[in-house]
Amino acid sequence: MEFRSIERAPGAFQQPVTAGQIHAMCRRAFGASVSAVSAVELGNGMYNSTYRVDLGSGLPVILRVAPEPARQFRIERELMRNEHASVPYLAPIAPLMPRTLAIDFTHEIIGRDYLFQTMLDGVPAPDGLGAYPRPEWASFFRRMGTIARDIHAVRGRRFGPVNGPAFTTWSEAVIASLDDTAADLDDVGLDATDVRELAAAADRHRAVLDEITEPRLLHGDLWTVNVMIEPGAPEPTISGVFDCDRTSWGDPESDWTIFMAGRRPGTERDAFWETYGSRSSTPGAAWRALLYRARHLAAVRLERHRLGNSEAVPDTYDDLRDVLALLTA
């Protein structure tokens, strides 16, 4: 078997698997007579270890292998299982998603969750968008707005990650996520004082958070890095959506997609709102938007540390301090 793995430092978060393990995973998933012809690790993702595997007949498949349980943060625990649980609720965008071919959570072959999926056609959006003049990107963001709207239209019964834990109120879910983020920051030796101040502010304003009474499905990570576009199309056209492992039930305004769409007003991203719809402008919505922004900044701090981007970690303290001042004014 041709086997290509990305060279990483011994202490890097993403750890490879061996050629022998891939052979064993393929045999379990597809039968004892199936052997992989090649396995090439892909470098686009930043959490799971992902391989394009050629089984010798038909199209290649994608193998995703989760980090070892001990390496997972509280706010990122068992994301692959969360994605698996969310698939039925992502039915509105099913034609855009890869199909799960096999999945194994037993840890009998390797002490990590893994799954095989169909390989999506297209080009990763970060690579393909540059082929189009920026004004033409508006069509891409209009389609992104439609996808986000369709996901957010799905209703749930409880708040929190799709695979649990579940919470009766939105405030409980938000505060629990902030407490977990603070504990994760403690574990890696980063100061979490501002995140605990954020959790305290959320606790004082539970009534504002609990104006959200109906859980809606949130993708959690829908943006350009998790989207494929059709190669050679007259305009940038979304052909696939992947890595749906951070799904949860909550306030659509808190979704990562909404945060990213609103970051650069006056650019082609404004086309997102043409299809998604307008945002709420009530005082409660304005306060919650600040809290959600701060919560994203706290999660970004943790991710930057995980990725070894230590130079960018201090920026999150400055940004979060500014948001906290507005929240507590």
Side-chain angles (χ1 to χ4, degrees), residues 211-212 251 253 273 276-286 288-289:
E211 290 175 5
I212 305 303
D251 178 7
E253 290 282 330
W273 308 108
Y276 181 83
S278 59
R279 305 178 69 177
S280 175
S281 58
T282 67
R288 288 190 297 271

Side-chain angles (χ1 to χ4, degrees), residues 25-231:
M25 287 186 274
C26 289
R27 287 193 294 269
R28 168 163 285 195
F30 304 111
S33 62
V34 175
S35 295
V37 175
S38 68
V40 178
E41 186 174 6
L42 306 179
N44 291 346
M46 296 182 292
Y47 189 75
N48 300 304
S49 299
T50 305
Y51 296 81
R52 183 179 66 247
V53 180
D54 184 353
L55 299 174
S57 62
L59 296 174
V61 299
I62 294 296
L63 168 63
R64 295 166 61 205
V65 185
E68 296 174 355
R71 301 175 71 86
Q72 299 175 20
F73 292 139
R74 293 169 182 81
I75 64 169
E76 296 178 327
R77 186 174 292 124
E78 296 186 340
L79 291 184
M80 189 171 288
R81 300 186 186 204
N82 189 64
E83 176 174 325
H84 185 55
S86 73
V87 169
Y89 302 105
L90 289 164
I93 65 165
L96 295 172
M97 294 173 56
R99 306 293 186 188
T100 300
L101 301 173
I103 192 162
D104 185 357
F105 295 155
T106 66
H107 290 196
E108 292 175 346
I109 290 177
I110 183 173
R112 300 156 69 176
D113 293 347
Y114 68 88
L115 59 79
F116 288 91
Q117 292 177 317
T118 55
M119 184 171 174
L120 291 173
D121 293 331
V123 178
D127 299 331
L129 277 173
Y132 300 90
R134 289 194 74 97
E136 293 185 15
W137 293 15
S139 63
F140 173 89
F141 288 106
R142 287 189 195 95
R143 179 59 174 146
M144 188 80 81
T146 300
I147 294 170
R149 183 195 65 204
D150 291 345
I151 293 172
H152 292 167
V154 179
R155 294 169 169 82
R157 297 180 179 179
R158 294 288 188 271
F159 295 98
V162 170
N163 202 39
F167 300 90
T168 304
T169 66
W170 179 226
S171 62
E172 290 175 321
V174 170
I175 293 168
S177 71
L178 291 170
D179 287 343
D180 281 347
T181 303
D184 285 333
L185 290 168
D186 288 341
D187 288 345
V188 298
L190 292 175
D191 185 7
T193 302
D194 53 358
V195 179
R196 290 195 165 85
E197 292 175 3
L198 188 61
D203 186 46
R204 290 193 300 271
H205 293 82
R206 282 178 180 263
V208 180
L209 287 169
D210 290 335
E211 290 175 5
I212 305 303
T213 58
E214 184 178 55
R216 297 295 188 97
L217 185 62
L218 316 180
H219 184 278
D221 205 15
L222 176 64
W223 202 242
T224 56
V225 294
N226 288 328
V227 166
M228 304 290 281
I229 61 175
E230 184 179 331

Side-chain angles (χ1 to χ4, degrees), residues 14 18 32 36 38 96 105 197 242 255 266 281 301 318 321:
Q14 288 176 296
T18 67
S38 68
L96 295 172
F105 295 155
E197 292 175 3
F242 58 96
D255 207 352
S281 58
R301 176 186 305 166
D318 296 336
R321 182 188 62 242

